[in-house]
């Protein structure tokens, strides 16, 4: 799921002043501070939801109105003793912990020298009233005249990328209370950071900072939570006010794979009054026309601000409607756009660069898709939906796909493919493979020294006396592997089908992409070309054994299982997104276990454990944060924390849950999850409640609240140590055992199986609850034969460091 600041889509009512959208956007971007509205302030207070700003001493200057509204202000310390102060207290323990991980304190309390405020809410009115009520404040246009020119430029740079969103808000005519608020603060110790209140986000309050490291940008979110007015029930989060449905996308791809597209869709307004609507689309695509009900309308396309978790750069296209939309009155939208989203890695291995925004979207909403592509006849194109037409016309191939039912996201892929297919219990699995791997994976051409004298005279070359370059060794071909890939994919698919029930679509196509990743659309799977090979094959040979296994055995089953996890079952909120990746990763392990046995599964889980407890800067990777933080775990210091925690700890969480529920209970839980068939979006809490229904009667944590608090909402990998002794008395052995848990919080109850071995092949298993606050967890038992060995957690159900 993509998180973003200030780019959510809004629809709005307009201001009928005769100016064009472009002129109004220009006016916002040309924002000017107003010297005549500059105040020397003392003790002026502003509260935006949970954020409290104290403008203790300094100057506060408002911007001149644009479109009749003041949308910016600047606080500036002009005297060495001037200061402002910000106080933000995250309301829940997890967010306080997150704040502490970044700032060393559980609250954000920072003195600042300047703060630039940009807003479409009623901040200006509130500040105005606060200044009037503050006896120590006075108008000071002289200082204003000094400040305004330089700081207007700084402010304009800041708002450049958010101006489009502001335009959409200003066109809305909605209550100012529904607008957004951003403070870009220059803190005394924290440097430049942001506090955002955006009612269109699921979690409206965000504080964080853009960090650049190693040529990459990371938006580090310190805390993010629901605004107090939403928590108190005084306000509902703003819902998307319109949605696109019934997409019909007609794309033409030339020989150079440049794409020209006409997309039509039904715009369904959810409330009346909107006169502008924003759409997200790739920055590689240029919008050339937007029509509503056949009439061309004005549109603006602008780049969006950097945000967390975005997988590709996007632009905001704002369509300006001639008159406000009315709820219940659907409109026909038409978009013409062009650009190059298909990239060529060589050898006929292509990929769609902007996989989630190659067509205009209004968020993650369900829609039907009728996709038609006209493309070079030498290629084959696969897409979400059933192929309903396929023919050659004027030297070009035309393929058409029908999604048949509403889906969340449409995708396509193309290449010079070999293909194979398998029928699986009424469903079909198709596989496409390129004839060669991309050059990156091909064997290098090795220069070889050969004495000229060994060559026949016709091949001797005087200018290069000894060096010859031998031809490249034969290139490994994914196409040669296609029957094996088809068999394996069909077997994994059948395995999931039997356990999870009906998949997202009747046909699932597996197609190769260059690179190290995979992705699952409804009915379409992208799989790294590396995943077409087996361990030890040349394209994998230079990788570690664990990485070879990842590509050869786990990647494709993971992506195939996304046909269920993410497409049958879905999670609309970022916080719950971990569930889909944890379930997909664990599904690939279930399949590995089926194919190769529990030993291999445990080897993989053992590797995951090592990755999680690995220390970085004295801290384990796992301690970066709980799995529910999702993409927020990816920080400049620990870019790998997101994938290790969400995928690998996530898989461990599923494995431990299976340990609690038993095999039958766990599989019944997965089936029950799928049987809801997307009728209800899954959240972490609804998953816990569903799982609690499968907990055995004698388990110490029937609601699984402790389990989720520890493993899902919390952090910590316990370290277990065992102490035992035995006394031989009267022909019997009095055996005592004590378990010691460390490395986690005091209350971290864990159910540990302990196996005591006596004679060869003879053992006894006892369960010990540690970390629940009781003294000396352990047991005493009288044994007929002396204990020879003790094994903690013999079946490996526990994410823990064990002796
Ligand atoms: Zn995945």
């Amino acid at each position: 799921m993509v998180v973003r600041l200030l780019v959510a889509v809004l629809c709005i009512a307009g201001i009928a002043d005769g100016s064009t959208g472009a002129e109004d956007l220009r006016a916002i971007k040309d924002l000017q501070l107003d010297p005549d509205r500059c105040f020397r302030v003392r003790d002026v207070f502003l509260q935006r939801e949970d954020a409290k700003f104290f403008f203790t001493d300094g100057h506060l200057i408002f911007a001149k109105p644009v479109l009749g509204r003041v949308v910016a202000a600047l606080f500036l310390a002009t005297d060495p003793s001037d200061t402002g102060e910000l106080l933000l207290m995250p309301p829940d323990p997890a967010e306080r912990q997150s704040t502490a991980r970044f700032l060393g304190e559980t609250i954000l309390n920072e003195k600042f020298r300047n703060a630039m405020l940009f807003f479409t809410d009623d901040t200006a009115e509130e500040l105005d009233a606060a200044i009037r009520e503050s006896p120590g404040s006075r108008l000071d246009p002289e200082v204003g005249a000094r400040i305004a020119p330089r700081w207007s430029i700084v402010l304009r740079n800041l708002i450049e990328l958010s101006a489009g969103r502001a335009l959409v808000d200003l066109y809305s005519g909605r209550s100012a209370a529904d607008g957004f608020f951003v403070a870009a603060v220059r803190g005394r110790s924290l440097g430049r950071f942001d506090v955002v209140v955006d009612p269109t986000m699921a979690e409206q309050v965000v504080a964080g900072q853009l960090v650049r490291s190693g040529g990459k940008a990371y938006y580090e979110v310190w805390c993010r939570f629901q605004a107090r007015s939403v928590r108190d029930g005084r306000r509902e989060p703003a819902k998307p006010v319109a949605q696109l449905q019934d997409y019909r996308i007609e794309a033409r791809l030339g020989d150079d794979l440049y794409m020209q597209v006409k997309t039509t869709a039904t715009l369904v307004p959810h409330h009346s009054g909107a006169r502008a609507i924003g759409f997200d689309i790739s920055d590689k695509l240029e919008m050339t026309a937007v029509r509503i009900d056949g009439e061309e309308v004005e549109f603006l396309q602008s780049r969006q601000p950097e945000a967390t978790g975005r997988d590709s750069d996007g632009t905001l296209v704002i369509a300006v409607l001639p008159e406000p939309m009315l709820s219940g009155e659907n409109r026909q939208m038409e978009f013409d756009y062009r650009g190059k989203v298909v990239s060529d890695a060589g050898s006929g291995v292509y990929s769609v660069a902007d996989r989630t925004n190659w067509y205009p979207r209004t968020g993650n909403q369900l829609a039907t898709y009728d996709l038609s592509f006209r493309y070079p006849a030498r290629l084959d194109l696969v897409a979400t939906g059933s192929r309903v037409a396929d023919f050659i016309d004027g030297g070009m191939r035309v393929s058409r796909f029908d999604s048949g039912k509403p889906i969340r996201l449409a995708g396509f892929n193309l290449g010079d493919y070999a293909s194979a297919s398998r029928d699986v219990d009424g469903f079909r699995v198709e596989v496409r493979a390129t004839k060669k791997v991309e050059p990156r994976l091909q064997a290098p051409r090795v220069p070889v020294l050969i004495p000229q004298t060994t060559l026949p005279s016709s091949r001797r070359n005087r200018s290069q006396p000894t060096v010859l370059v031998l031809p490249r060794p034969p290139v490994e071909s994914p196409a040669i592997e296609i029957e094996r890939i088809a068999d394996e994919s069909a077997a994994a698919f059948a395995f999931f089908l039997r356990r999870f029930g009906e998949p997202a679509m009747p046909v699932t196509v597996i197609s190769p992409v260059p690179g190290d990743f995979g992705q699952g659309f409804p009915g379409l799977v992208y799989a790294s070309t590396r995943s077409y090979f087996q361990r030890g094959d040349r394209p994998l040979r230079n990788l570690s054994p664990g990485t070879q296994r990842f590509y050869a055995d786990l990647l494709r089953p993971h992506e195939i299982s996304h046909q269920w996890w993410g497409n049958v079952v879905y999670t609309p909120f970022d916080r719950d997104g971990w569930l889909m990746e944890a379930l997909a990763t664990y599904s690939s392990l279930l399949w590995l276990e089926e194919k190769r046995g529990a030993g291999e599964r445990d080897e993989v889980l053992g590797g995951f454990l090592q990755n999680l407890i690995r220390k970085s800067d004295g801290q384990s990777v796992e301690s970066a944060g709980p799995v529910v933080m999702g993409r927020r775990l990816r920080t400049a210091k620990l870019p790998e924390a997101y994938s290790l925690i969400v995928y690998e700890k996530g898989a461990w969480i599923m494995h431990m849950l299976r340990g609690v529920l038993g095999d039958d209970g766990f599989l019944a839980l997965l089936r029950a999850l799928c049987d809801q068939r997307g009728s209800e979006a899954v959240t972490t809490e609804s998953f816990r409640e569903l799982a609690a229904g499968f907990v055995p009667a004698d388990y110490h944590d029937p609601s699984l609240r402790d389990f989720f608090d520890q493993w899902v909402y919390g952090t910590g990998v316990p370290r277990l140590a065992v102490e035992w002794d035995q006394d031989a008395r009267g022909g019997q052995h009095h055996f005592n055992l004590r378990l010691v848990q460390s490395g986690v919080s005091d209350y971290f109850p864990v159910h540990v199986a302990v196996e005591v071995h006596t004679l060869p092949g003879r053992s006894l298993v006892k369960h010990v609850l540690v970390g629940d606050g009781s003294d000396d967890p352990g047991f005493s038992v009288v044994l007929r034969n002396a204990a020879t060995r003790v094994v903690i957690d013999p079946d490996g159900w526990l994410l823990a460091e064990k002796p």
Side-chain angles (χ1 to χ4, degrees), residues 611-625 638 645 716-717:
N611 291 338
L612 291 166
I613 61 177
R614 197 173 63 224
K615 293 276 198 301
S616 165
D617 253 359
Q619 301 274 307
S620 73
V621 171
E622 192 273 343
S623 68
L638 265 182
I645 293 171
V717 174

Side-chain angles (χ1 to χ4, degrees), residues 100-409:
R101 264 189 292 273
F102 289 100
L103 308 180
E105 307 267 355
T106 55
I107 59 172
L108 170 54
N109 185 5
E110 173 81 347
K111 289 206 163 62
F112 55 82
R113 295 283 296 168
N114 68 59
M116 288 180 279
L117 314 180
F118 183 49
F119 45 83
T120 53
D121 67 358
D122 51 5
T123 293
E125 292 76 10
E126 295 222 352
L127 274 178
D128 209 42
I131 291 169
R132 250 180 282 134
E133 283 160 22
S134 135
S137 301
R138 60 179 167 81
L139 200 61
D140 190 355
E142 273 169 40
V143 170
R146 274 208 329 265
I147 298 173
R150 186 167 94 79
W151 283 92
S152 293
I153 297 170
V154 179
L155 196 60
R156 288 202 288 268
N157 284 337
L158 172 84
I159 66 161
E160 167 80 24
L161 297 180
S162 305
R165 165 67 192 282
L167 178 74
V168 167
D169 275 22
L170 291 178
Y171 268 35
S172 77
R174 279 204 305 206
S175 139
D178 286 335
F180 70 81
F181 169 89
V182 186
V185 180
R186 170 70 61 183
R188 280 184 190 264
S189 57
L190 299 173
R192 168 83 169 72
F193 66 92
D194 312 305
V195 174
V196 177
V197 177
D198 184 345
T200 65
M201 298 196 296
E203 294 170 311
Q204 300 83 20
V205 180
V206 183
Q209 186 168 49
L210 188 67
V211 177
R212 289 182 196 279
S213 170
K216 286 194 173 138
Y218 300 84
Y219 197 94
E220 297 192 337
V221 173
W222 301 337
C223 58
R224 190 172 81 195
F225 51 86
Q226 281 203 328
R228 60 191 302 160
S229 62
V230 176
R231 301 197 303 275
D232 296 352
R234 281 180 286 128
R235 162 189 225 178
E236 295 258 303
K239 294 195 183 78
V241 289
Q243 168 183 6
L244 289 179
Q245 288 183 346
D246 310 326
Y247 278 93
R248 191 188 156 98
I249 301 179
E250 290 170 61
R252 294 160 166 267
L253 288 137
D255 245 348
D256 53 359
L257 301 177
Y258 189 84
M259 189 166 82
Q260 284 186 290
V261 192
K262 177 176 164 160
T263 289
T264 58
T266 307
L267 182 73
V268 183
H270 294 323
H271 84 105
S272 295
R275 199 175 72 98
I277 179 161
F279 305 94
D280 183 20
I281 196 165
S282 160
D283 66 348
K284 295 182 186 67
L285 292 167
E286 182 203 357
M287 192 65 62
T288 56
V290 177
R291 286 176 289 276
I292 295 176
D293 297 332
E295 295 288 318
E296 283 216 17
V297 296
E298 188 194 0
F299 70 92
L300 308 160
Q301 183 171 19
S302 56
R303 217 154 61 77
Q304 303 203 13
E306 288 195 70
T308 47
R310 173 103 44 85
D311 35 21
S312 56
D313 288 330
T315 63
L316 179 69
V317 168
I318 301 169
V320 180
L321 282 66
E323 69 279 338
M325 294 194 293
L326 293 173
S327 173
E329 263 184 29
N330 292 357
R331 315 291 292 271
Q332 206 57 30
M333 299 288 306
E334 243 175 85
F335 304 90
D336 292 346
Y337 52 97
R338 61 191 179 195
K340 196 156 184 186
V341 287
V342 177
S343 49
D344 180 358
S347 306
V349 190
Y350 300 110
S351 63
V352 180
D354 291 3
R355 305 186 292 282
T356 58
N357 57 359
W358 62 277
Y359 59 93
R361 296 180 64 202
T362 53
N364 273 324
Q365 289 166 331
L366 282 169
T368 56
Y369 291 86
D370 174 345
L371 309 173
S372 93
F373 297 90
R374 194 179 168 86
Y375 56 100
R378 66 188 162 89
L379 298 176
D380 181 14
L381 189 144
V382 290
T384 42
S386 310
R387 193 186 290 255
V388 291
D390 195 14
F391 55 90
I392 304 286
D393 174 40
M396 300 294 270
R397 185 165 172 187
V398 178
S399 304
R400 190 163 166 199
F401 303 84
D402 181 359
S403 71
K405 63 178 178 187
I407 55 175
R408 268 162 229 296
L409 191 60

Side-chain angles (χ1 to χ4, degrees), residues 674-693:
C674 291
D675 282 347
Q676 298 178 346
R677 301 217 63 81
S679 58
E680 252 179 290
V682 177
T683 65
T684 304
E685 272 303 283
S686 75
F687 180 67
R688 180 189 60 75
E689 284 162 16
L690 191 66

Side-chain angles (χ1 to χ4, degrees), residues 394-537:
M396 300 294 270
R397 185 165 172 187
V398 178
S399 304
R400 190 163 166 199
F401 303 84
D402 181 359
S403 71
K405 63 178 178 187
I407 55 175
R408 268 162 229 296
L409 191 60
F412 72 97
N413 199 1
L414 76 171
D416 181 6
Y417 292 145
S419 87
S421 82
R422 299 287 183 274
D423 289 320
V424 182
D425 298 340
F427 297 92
R428 198 162 80 245
V429 175
E430 293 185 9
V431 175
R432 297 292 191 277
T434 46
K435 312 224 158 94
K436 297 178 194 165
V437 290
E438 59 267 31
R440 183 179 78 116
L441 301 183
Q442 288 167 14
R445 195 185 283 252
V446 188
V448 179
L449 294 173
I450 296 177
Q452 295 273 348
T453 49
T454 62
L455 296 173
S457 59
S458 63
R459 288 188 56 196
R460 287 183 198 169
N461 179 342
R462 277 176 213 291
S463 62
Q464 282 191 317
T466 52
V467 179
L468 281 180
V469 178
L470 286 189
R472 209 187 277 279
V475 169
E476 291 78 2
S477 167
I480 289 173
E481 307 279 335
I482 196 160
E483 297 300 327
R484 176 182 60 81
I485 301 292
D487 287 339
E488 282 178 10
S489 302
F493 183 90
F495 177 80
F496 298 141
L497 180 68
R498 280 196 297 277
R499 280 152 190 84
F500 310 151
E502 196 181 318
M505 301 292 271
V507 181
T508 300
V509 183
I510 293 147
S511 67
V513 286
D516 311 325
F517 70 99
Q519 186 170 358
F521 293 87
L524 176 66
V525 172
Y526 286 160
S528 162
T529 36
R530 279 194 165 128
S531 74
Y532 283 67
F533 295 92
Q534 292 176 287
R535 285 186 250 179
D537 284 353

